[in-house]
Amino acid sequence: LMENNVVYNTKTGGFHQHYGRDNVLRNNVFAFAKQGQLQRTRDENHVSFIFERNIVLWQDGPLFHGNWGGTNHYRLEQNLYWRMDGKPFDFAGKKLADWQAAGQDKGSLIADPQCRDPLKGDFTLAPTSPALKLGFQPIDLAKVGPRKENR
């Protein structure tokens, strides 16, 4: 279970599934990876992961990187996707509606998550964020990242 994390400014996908079974990624923020936001390498004969109620935010490159073809041994649903530079993007070569018709990202949206200042690492959501309507629970950012210990 990977839950309530903020992963940003990585080289490759903030999430990369190579091998694994029944991994659950829920209520995370993945932002600004340099080479694809979400990466999948190996197509296995079981459910590799469930990716639900996450925010994926970026401004360069593709949403998906790696092997998203083959079987659907993964499940994505109720996620919010937003490319800040406004350029079009696809879901493994499909438009969102076609991707959803193929069984992925049921209930997911393409919409601005309304983060306070994501380019400066502040992913605090506005009360009107569409991510909240998908069931995303705000992450207390005061307790993440490097901190100075009280001495």
Side-chain angles (χ1 to χ4, degrees):
L1 174 64
M2 181 179 170
E3 187 173 51
N4 300 321
N5 295 282
V6 176
V7 182
Y8 68 106
N9 291 340
T10 59
K11 179 182 175 191
T12 56
F15 167 63
H16 179 181
Q17 177 77 28
H18 184 62
Y19 284 105
R21 178 182 213 120
D22 298 325
N23 294 307
V24 176
L25 295 96
R26 179 185 311 129
N27 211 82
N28 301 287
V29 174
F30 296 95
F32 309 125
K34 295 187 183 358
Q35 297 175 2
Q37 303 311 299
L38 307 175
Q39 187 172 355
R40 178 175 179 261
T41 305
R42 190 170 294 277
D43 189 22
E44 299 179 278
N45 291 327
H46 53 262
V47 174
S48 296
F49 63 89
I50 299 165
F51 190 86
E52 60 187 3
R53 294 191 314 269
N54 297 288
I55 295 171
V56 183
L57 176 68
W58 77 106
Q59 52 184 3
D60 297 308
L63 170 59
F64 293 145
H65 181 69
N67 178 10
W68 292 86
T71 62
N72 275 346
H73 290 137
Y74 52 90
R75 190 175 82 223
L76 297 93
E77 59 186 40
Q78 292 180 272
N79 298 295
L80 189 137
Y81 301 98
W82 186 245
R83 185 168 169 155
M84 292 178 59
D85 65 4
K87 292 183 181 176
F89 63 94
D90 61 61
F91 294 78
K94 297 180 170 97
K95 293 182 179 183
L96 178 59
D98 296 331
W99 179 247
Q100 289 173 324
Q104 293 297 343
D105 270 309
K106 178 181 174 185
S108 294
L109 299 173
I110 297 173
D112 184 346
Q114 302 174 13
C115 298
R116 183 177 293 150
D117 195 352
L119 293 174
K120 292 186 179 174
D122 187 348
F123 298 95
T124 305
L125 297 176
T128 56
S129 171
L132 302 173
K133 294 175 185 168
L134 294 175
F136 187 90
Q137 298 296 311
I139 299 169
D140 183 356
L141 299 173
K143 296 180 180 178
V144 301
R147 296 176 291 287
K148 293 182 181 178
E149 292 184 39
N150 293 335
R151 295 183 191 236

